[in-house]
Amino acid sequence: MKRSTCNICHFSIKTCVCHYISPVITNKTTIIILQHPSEVCVAKNTVRLLNLQLDNIQIYEGESPSDFFIPQKIATSSHCALLFPGENALQVENIDKNLTPIDTLFVLDGTWKKVNKIAMLNPWLGDLQKVSFSQLPENKYSIRKAEQSYSLSTLEACAHFLSCYESLNVKPLHDLLAGMIHEQTKFMPADVKQRYFNEEH
Ligand SMILES: [Zn+2]
């Protein structure tokens, strides 16, 4: 039987992104994604792209502490941080790596509402050093509502962190994102395409 999903990138055959994948980026900081279940089947799933392009990434799906048993254990070790805005958040552009070494970065994936829910249900996340951005990189992929200050896709947020903290060349991530957008919008009429970019999923 013909498969409708590519078994490498897991996007549909029609929107397969395999030819946009570059040699894998070897990031030192382990990226741990806590992904809300409502995000997993979303077509514009940028975590799936991160997983294809980053060497050092773990993805856990769930909402409550019992879903995150393993990451919760990892979080008790030192040098973990959480990518999340807040008053006491360190700005990734200005972090002194000697004073604040980070070897594991937790990132929450979902709509802003779902991300807040994960944060609320998992008080253990509050013990982690928060890391944020002093200036947001240009948002090429507007999938979050405009009024939200933290309006980057998870891929763009991780790319910005890795570019600042590890000085990595993250162009392959942006290229892969652009490739996915191209594949998903290439047959769309202009008005539908506009909605694709504006809609919160
Ligand atoms: Zn593919």
Side-chain angles (χ1 to χ4, degrees):
M1 219 171 75
K2 219 176 138 197
R3 286 176 62 95
S4 57
T5 307
C6 169
N7 53 20
I8 297 167
C9 70
H10 304 293
F11 282 88
S12 80
I13 296 289
K14 276 193 218 154
T15 59
C16 164
V17 296
C18 285
H19 53 292
Y20 299 105
I21 303 172
S22 304
V24 79
I25 297 174
T26 45
N27 52 311
K28 285 197 203 83
T29 316
T30 305
I31 304 288
I32 295 189
I33 307 276
L34 307 185
Q35 185 173 44
H36 194 272
S38 65
E39 206 68 11
V40 178
C41 294
V42 166
K44 309 180 236 182
N45 184 337
T46 68
V47 167
R48 210 182 282 167
L49 301 178
L50 283 170
N51 200 28
L52 291 166
Q53 195 59 75
L54 291 182
D55 182 39
N56 191 359
I57 178 167
Q58 299 172 26
I59 301 162
Y60 299 91
E61 185 195 323
E63 188 177 77
S64 60
S66 58
D67 300 323
F68 299 132
F69 181 72
I70 298 168
Q72 204 173 337
K73 264 195 127 161
I74 297 170
T76 57
S77 61
S78 51
H79 309 325
C80 291
L82 173 67
L83 191 65
F84 205 79
E87 270 177 30
N88 304 318
L90 294 173
Q91 298 176 335
V92 70
E93 294 87 350
N94 309 319
I95 289 178
D96 182 333
K97 285 187 203 173
N98 297 314
L99 282 175
T100 319
I102 298 171
D103 56 26
T104 307
L105 182 75
F106 288 75
V107 184
L108 311 183
D109 180 58
T111 59
W112 191 233
K113 212 171 145 190
K114 297 286 164 53
V115 158
N116 274 319
K117 193 167 179 203
I118 294 178
M120 257 173 52
L121 291 173
N122 293 271
W124 58 277
L125 288 169
D127 296 334
L128 295 171
Q129 170 63 55
K130 286 194 184 91
V131 172
S132 191
F133 305 135
S134 68
Q135 60 200 89
L136 290 176
E138 196 190 332
N139 184 1
K140 298 193 188 78
Y141 181 40
S142 175
I143 55 171
R144 305 288 180 217
K145 280 184 181 161
E147 68 265 26
Q148 289 158 356
S149 57
Y150 186 73
S151 62
L152 289 180
S153 67
T154 301
L155 177 142
E156 288 169 303
C158 290
H160 187 59
F161 173 85
L162 292 171
S163 150
C164 293
Y165 192 73
E166 292 194 27
S167 306
L168 283 172
N169 172 18
V170 293
K171 189 172 179 295
L173 287 171
H174 291 296
D175 289 348
L176 186 53
L177 179 63
M180 182 198 77
I181 293 170
H182 174 73
E183 290 304 316
Q184 295 192 1
T185 59
K186 63 185 174 185
F187 300 120
M188 285 181 185
D191 57 326
V192 180
K193 203 181 269 193
Q194 200 53 45
R195 235 176 295 147
Y196 174 94
F197 286 108
N198 292 338
E199 205 170 63
E200 186 175 18
H201 58 261

